[in-house]
Amino acid sequence: MNLHEYQGKEVLAGFGVTIQRGIVAKTAAEAVAAGKQLTETTGTDWHIVKAQIHAGGRGKGGGVKLAKNLQELETIADSIIGMQLITPQTPPEGKKVNQVLVAEDVYYPGASEPSEFYMSILLNRATGKNMIMYSTEGGMDIEAVAEATPHLIFTEEIDPALGLMPFQARKVAFNLGLSGAAFKDMTKFVSALYRAYVGSDASLFEINPVLKTSDDRIIAVDAKVTLDDNSLFRHPDFEALRDLSEENPVEVEARAVGLNYVDLDGNVGCMVNGAGLAMATMDLIKQAGGDPANFLDVGGTADAARVETAFRLILKDPAVKAILINIFGGIVRCDRVAQGIVDAYKNLGDAIQVPIIVRLQGTNADIAKELIDSSGLNVLSATAFQEAADKVQEAIS
Ligand code: GDP
Ligand code: MN
């Protein structure tokens, strides 16, 4: 689950990470009120207005702007809220901005120049360790830094059983070229950030930029936070952070009925029981010259109601030219599934305009095949993997 910047910063702050303070606003009037309130604690009436969408590169797309007084704050907030923001990370048509974060300006002049660093924490699956990735080249596209100047990106691997050792935090501060107060503050920042990563069961933190202010404080100016969906049951309070308007509507619907559905770009819908078989089925579709339109694991209990719900979800995608149902009858009997398919087909009536290829294997597969073949519906049965692949190819070509 992805969080908005303002939500990510709240999670960070909850673990003692210093953040750029801000208040979220849904209207220009709310933004002005937020600005006034912030000024009381920060002392500055300069504010940065930041579009809250689930995509980065907002600065480049005109979604981050500095306001030097309340009038400017109102005008800027008014122009950003409701805009269709296009950034290198949004779909081509952009994303609608429903809210902005009004934040204190932290790039004020002082004894030294402010500097921007890059820092992320993620799991290195190859080593089974958490990894802090960081760079002196903050505030820009890290992919571009990796391409042009890979030696400016450092990594620090952390054994999850040991946690972040103090020497590792010092190494990060050292490699970032810091000294004095900024060095000390960076070690505190890194420790708190790692604590937040583990404590929130995140799968990704990306803080770009981490700022060294002109008075040597280290703060998180941006926050991209991805929480591990499989850990959400441990954090019931995080569920409120989900923004459904940022998610694929069919996926939202599927989750509500307990189906594991991921939308994809292809033309062959698939309905499979078990994630492993679902992946193998997607390979099969590719091999047959098609492209999977979705990943859908209907789970062990593929009864008629579930099959019908799954049909309805798959049919919402206009790109679907054929549907491949590949179910292994282990826990569930194949004839039950076949009956479910036939019933669902009859219930859906005209909604199904595409050929359906069904491969049922396992308990009572022969009875199931007979049920399908004698149903008189536009459903083709297959027993072998290759046979299913051939029928899919025939259906889409
Ligand atoms: P992104 O473009 O989506 O990654 O959004 P960021 O939160 O990283 O903000 C983009 C840029 O806005 C940053 O790299 C900064 O250069 C700038 N910015 C952020 N906060 C401030 C601020 O308080 N004052 C000023 N002057 N610029 C800021
Ligand atoms: Mn950023």
Side-chain angles (χ1 to χ4, degrees), residues 98-163:
N98 295 316
Q99 47 194 352
V100 291
L101 178 63
V102 180
E104 60 176 324
D105 170 41
V106 284
Y107 285 62
Y108 45 81
S112 65
E113 278 292 303
S115 37
E116 296 180 319
F117 307 119
Y118 171 91
M119 191 171 295
S120 60
I121 308 184
L122 62 160
L123 173 67
N124 182 347
R125 291 176 194 276
T127 60
K129 291 181 178 173
N130 289 322
M131 182 164 77
I132 301 181
M133 198 183 281
Y134 60 104
S135 175
T136 47
E137 309 305 290
M140 32 183 154
D141 192 5
I142 196 66
E143 284 80 9
V145 178
E147 185 101 350
T149 49
H151 60 284
L152 295 178
I153 298 180
F154 302 94
T155 56
E156 187 66 30
E157 298 232 331
I158 299 136
D159 190 319
L162 297 175

Side-chain angles (χ1 to χ4, degrees), residues 6 76 161 183 219 241 245 253 337 386:
Y6 80 95
I76 291 171
F183 182 98
I219 63 175
L241 303 179
S245 72
E253 209 182 320
V337 177
Q386 189 55 52

Side-chain angles (χ1 to χ4, degrees), residues 5 20 48 50 55-60 64 66 103-107 116 139 208-209 221-222:
E5 174 196 358
Q20 174 191 41
I48 190 99
K50 312 177 79 177
R58 296 162 301 165
K60 281 185 204 137
V64 178
L66 184 68
E104 60 176 324
D105 170 41
V106 284
Y107 285 62
E116 296 180 319
N208 188 21
V221 166
D222 194 2

